Amino acid sequence: PYCTKEEPNQCCYGADPNRNWDFKWGVAGASSNPCSEIFKGPKAFSEVECKQTSVYQLSIVKKLKAMITLHSYSEDILYPYGYGTGVYPPDVKELKALGD
């Protein structure tokens, strides 16, 4: 478990996998509070699921044509580069067209 600095006896398990990747880790939109729904983890790839998913993806990167993940929490379409307001990937128009 990860415990809060303010209250060492308050501990929670796990981190939000969407915020535990190493690309722009912890820049924005994530929490350092281990009991938050958007806890980024103590460091990038601290969660074994994220790390192993990354290892697998890198092992097949030359075979990949596209990567899509489904999020049902708020029924949103999430673009890569969600670390900042007004920051979009180079193919944002194509991604938007796919989502529409």
Side-chain angles (χ1 to χ4, degrees):
Y2 302 116
C3 302
T4 62
K5 291 180 182 177
E6 297 79 25
E7 296 183 41
N9 293 332
Q10 183 180 4
C11 301
C12 297
Y13 289 89
D16 179 355
N18 296 312
R19 292 168 173 83
N20 193 240
W21 290 74
D22 64 344
F23 182 74
K24 302 285 185 178
W25 178 81
V27 170
S31 175
S32 296
N33 179 341
C35 295
S36 169
E37 288 183 350
I38 57 171
F39 177 51
K40 62 186 178 182
K43 64 181 183 176
F45 291 135
S46 59
E47 306 306 296
V48 67
E49 299 87 354
C50 297
K51 179 63 178 171
Q52 292 306 313
T53 299
S54 174
V55 167
Y56 174 69
Q57 289 172 349
L58 289 172
S59 77
I60 62 166
V61 71
K62 292 183 180 181
K63 298 177 185 178
L64 286 176
K65 302 283 187 211
M67 178 71 183
I68 298 172
T69 61
L70 303 175
H71 300 264
S72 61
Y73 183 76
S74 61
E75 298 181 8
D76 290 333
I77 295 173
L78 305 176
Y79 299 135
Y81 295 69
Y83 62 86
T85 304
V87 180
Y88 301 101
D91 59 349
V92 67
K93 288 181 183 177
E94 185 179 349
L95 292 169
K96 180 153 177 40
L98 287 169
D100 287 342

